[in-house]
Amino acid sequence: MNEQEVGMALVIELRRGVSALRTGRKAGPSPATGMLERMVVDDEFWTALARLGRHRLPTLSDVDAYGDTTLRGEAVDRMVGELEGANLAQLNSAEHEAIATLWAWGLRCRADRDLRIAFSGD
């Protein structure tokens, strides 16, 4: 964890973009777009990265503490793969909840390519 990241609030959202593919969609209402789920984290995100080893989680380590970062497609695939190898048992409950939520969202993004994970820094 960098010193500038201590006390940095981070808003993380699971979002759905508008699909570029319109053909072959089943009849019925279109899926909701925009923000689907949201969590706001403080130090627990950064301390979790430090405990798990930033070098083991390069995708999450690249999240901009001060700006916006969006993960979709291959970036989400990388994040999920990195988290599959992580030992979440070493995290406290708040850290575990934040990282486990990201992992679950990543799995949803893998199954539905219109989903993305957006990080907004302080």
Side-chain angles (χ1 to χ4, degrees):
M1 176 168 46
N2 296 331
E3 285 183 33
Q4 74 251 20
E5 293 168 350
V6 174
M8 296 297 302
L10 191 64
V11 176
I12 309 171
E13 295 178 340
L14 178 65
R15 295 181 183 166
R16 178 183 302 282
V18 178
S19 177
L21 299 174
R22 290 290 178 205
T23 59
R25 194 175 74 75
K26 295 179 181 176
S30 297
T33 58
M35 193 268 299
L36 303 177
E37 294 184 41
R38 170 185 285 183
M39 70 174 158
V40 179
V41 295
D42 286 307
D43 294 338
E44 60 268 26
F45 177 79
W46 307 112
T47 56
L49 289 183
R51 284 184 207 260
L52 296 172
R54 287 179 162 273
H55 63 285
R56 291 187 181 102
L57 302 170
T59 304
L60 290 177
S61 294
D62 283 344
V63 168
D64 185 350
Y66 297 101
D68 297 332
T69 305
T70 301
L71 302 180
R72 65 173 66 90
E74 290 181 16
V76 168
D77 293 343
R78 281 191 307 275
M79 180 195 78
V80 169
E82 293 163 8
L83 290 174
E84 285 172 347
N87 179 9
L88 301 188
Q90 62 188 319
L91 302 178
N92 71 31
S93 62
E95 295 164 351
H96 187 278
E97 182 179 342
I99 299 301
T101 298
L102 283 173
W103 191 359
W105 288 359
L107 293 173
R108 287 175 64 185
C109 290
R110 283 171 99 178
D112 182 345
R113 290 303 197 179
D114 291 335
L115 296 178
R116 61 206 54 172
I117 301 171
F119 299 81
S120 297
D122 227 356

